[in-house]
Amino acid sequence: MTLRLSGRLVVACLEEARARLPEPGAEDATLDLSDVEAMDTAGAWLVIDTQTRWRARGKTCDITGASPQHTELLEVVRRNIPAKDVSTKPRNDFFDWLETVGRTACSGGRKLIEMLGFLGAVVARFGYVTAHPGRLRLTSLVHHMQEIGLNAVPIVSLMAFLIGVVMAFQGAVQLRQFGAEVFVVDLIAISVLRELGILLTAIIVAGRSGAAFTAAIGSMKMREEIDAMQTLGLDPIEVLVLPRVLALILVLPLLGVVADVMGLLGGAMMSWIELGVSPGMFQTRLHESVDVWHYAVGLIKAPFFAVIIGVVGSYEGMKVGGDAASLGRLTSTSVVLSIFLVIVADALFSVFFAIVGV
């Protein structure tokens, strides 16, 4: 069967030429282009598409009569037609799950190595700034201390106060059954001072300030401000990352103190209301049962939590690409990863202090 094409195979006449072509039949075909006067890329695509449809039915379809110019155009168009996406059916067996776990583990390992490298760069720049104090940007440091610390005092205070109230109420319900209401002071003090005060403060700061770090640095990365900064000879770690990390290290222990005080106040108030433990009795029991190390353990963790939050937030901000989707995705990743690493670090500290007997 010979399919004879004639006239002008250009985009303006494409629909008319396509209407003259029959659908693939049960016999082989030959495309005769000897009467074609002119052809552009749209006409070449029509010829190639016709040939492809006939071959898809298992028939041969040869092209004959094309001039050298048309033959060259057909080859150029054929090479540049994108290949069809052959989607394979996803597997749901054990090996597919194992492959997913392996890829996730490798990706997590690479990310951990990159973050350790970023932490090393921050530490190296901190050493350089320590040797050259004039390089420290005090204005930026004070600004971030206000944003991270002073502006976070209300939400941290409210959170810690409510945690103390809840712990006192729940502890009262259980301890009343054994006539040991006075031990609610031990429960509140040790839990707030050792664990919950600084841990929940770090989680709030990670969600509040860690996300802000990623969003601010990521926006600068999208607008190519960081590239311009490097062109001017400025180090982005020294200008953007170091003041944020130092501000976190300085203010997070102070926020931890605020959380401890408010948590104890909330617990004392609820103990007075629910159990009749007067403030004087609460204070006396607090001095008798709570060692100063319970307070120190919480504060020791604070600088480490601050480094985790600052480094993760800044690292994810540096990874933002040129689109808003990556900014949103990495901001969420920053918050989740910071909170996860803070909880892991807190668990490691708990094991360490249990081993050393503190």
Side-chain angles (χ1 to χ4, degrees):
M1 179 180 182
T2 301
L3 303 178
R4 195 176 303 276
L5 296 174
S6 60
R8 296 169 54 84
L9 290 182
V10 295
V11 64
C13 307
L14 195 64
E15 290 297 329
E16 181 183 352
R18 189 181 183 89
R20 294 200 304 265
L21 292 173
E23 290 297 322
E27 54 184 319
D28 298 334
T30 301
L31 286 172
D32 186 2
L33 306 182
S34 56
D35 294 334
V36 173
E37 300 173 1
M39 180 189 298
D40 60 4
T41 54
W45 172 84
L46 176 62
V47 174
I48 295 171
D49 181 66
T50 303
Q51 184 184 44
T52 302
R53 289 191 293 116
W54 281 80
R55 289 179 175 178
R57 295 288 297 269
K59 306 301 178 181
T60 60
C61 185
D62 300 325
I63 299 175
T64 61
S67 65
Q69 294 83 0
H70 294 166
T71 302
E72 183 178 357
L73 178 61
L74 288 170
E75 291 302 320
V76 171
V77 173
R78 193 188 305 275
R79 287 195 304 266
N80 289 276
I81 291 179
K84 292 185 178 180
D85 183 18
V86 181
S87 58
T88 57
K89 185 178 180 180
R91 296 180 298 162
N92 295 314
D93 55 8
F94 172 76
F95 294 102
D96 182 57
W97 174 82
L98 191 62
E99 178 186 359
T100 303
V101 171
R103 290 183 182 276
T104 304
C106 291
S107 175
R110 286 193 299 268
K111 188 166 188 176
L112 178 61
I113 293 173
E114 291 177 2
M115 290 182 59
L116 290 176
F118 187 79
L119 174 62
V122 174
V123 172
R125 182 51 58 178
F126 174 73
Y128 178 79
V129 171
T130 303
H132 304 81
R135 303 280 299 183
L136 181 62
R137 298 176 177 269
L138 286 176
T139 303
S140 178
L141 178 63
V142 173
H143 168 73
H144 290 301
M145 289 178 65
Q146 178 182 358
E147 290 293 324
I148 299 167
L150 186 61
N151 294 347
V153 168
I155 183 64
V156 170
S157 300
L158 179 61
M159 175 274 304
F161 183 83
L162 294 177
I163 288 296
V165 169
V166 171
M167 289 189 61
F169 181 78
Q170 295 296 329
V173 172
Q174 301 301 322
L175 294 175
R176 186 183 287 115
Q177 303 177 23
F178 307 98
E181 293 91 340
V182 71
F183 289 104
V184 74
V185 180
D186 304 56
L187 172 66
I188 296 170
I190 294 176
S191 299
V192 170
L193 295 179
R194 288 184 69 100
E195 297 292 339
L196 294 181
I198 190 62
L199 179 61
L200 294 178
T201 301
I203 290 174
I204 287 179
V205 171
R208 183 179 179 274
S209 300
F213 290 176
T214 304
I217 297 176
S219 298
M220 297 180 69
K221 188 79 179 295
M222 288 175 57
R223 295 193 296 264
E224 299 181 353
E225 294 179 26
I226 293 180
D227 296 335
M229 193 179 297
Q230 292 173 327
T231 303
L232 294 173
L234 299 175
D235 187 358
I237 293 180
E238 179 182 326
V239 177
L240 300 176
V241 179
L242 194 58
R244 288 174 164 85
V245 175
L246 289 178
L248 267 173
I249 293 174
L250 292 174
V251 302
L252 191 58
L254 300 178
L255 289 176
V257 173
V258 172
D260 291 342
V261 173
M262 296 304 296
L264 293 177
L265 286 177
M269 188 191 72
M270 183 53 65
S271 299
W272 192 12
I273 295 174
E274 186 70 18
L275 297 175
V277 179
S278 65
M281 184 184 301
F282 189 96
Q283 183 179 5
T284 301
R285 183 64 187 175
L286 186 65
H287 285 297
E288 291 177 355
S289 60
V290 178
D291 187 11
V292 68
W293 270 106
H294 293 308
Y295 174 72
V297 163
L299 293 186
I300 289 173
K301 301 175 186 178
F304 296 92
F305 292 169
V307 171
I308 290 173
I309 296 169
V311 169
V312 172
S314 303
Y315 166 77
E316 296 293 345
M318 289 291 187
K319 286 182 60 181
V320 171
D323 56 336
S326 66
L327 178 62
R329 176 173 53 83
L330 291 176
T331 301
S332 300
T333 302
S334 170
V335 174
V336 174
L337 187 58
S338 297
I339 294 175
F340 172 75
L341 291 179
V342 163
I343 294 174
V344 170
D346 183 71
L348 294 177
F349 271 113
S350 298
V351 173
F352 171 75
F353 287 127
I355 292 175
V356 300
V358 176

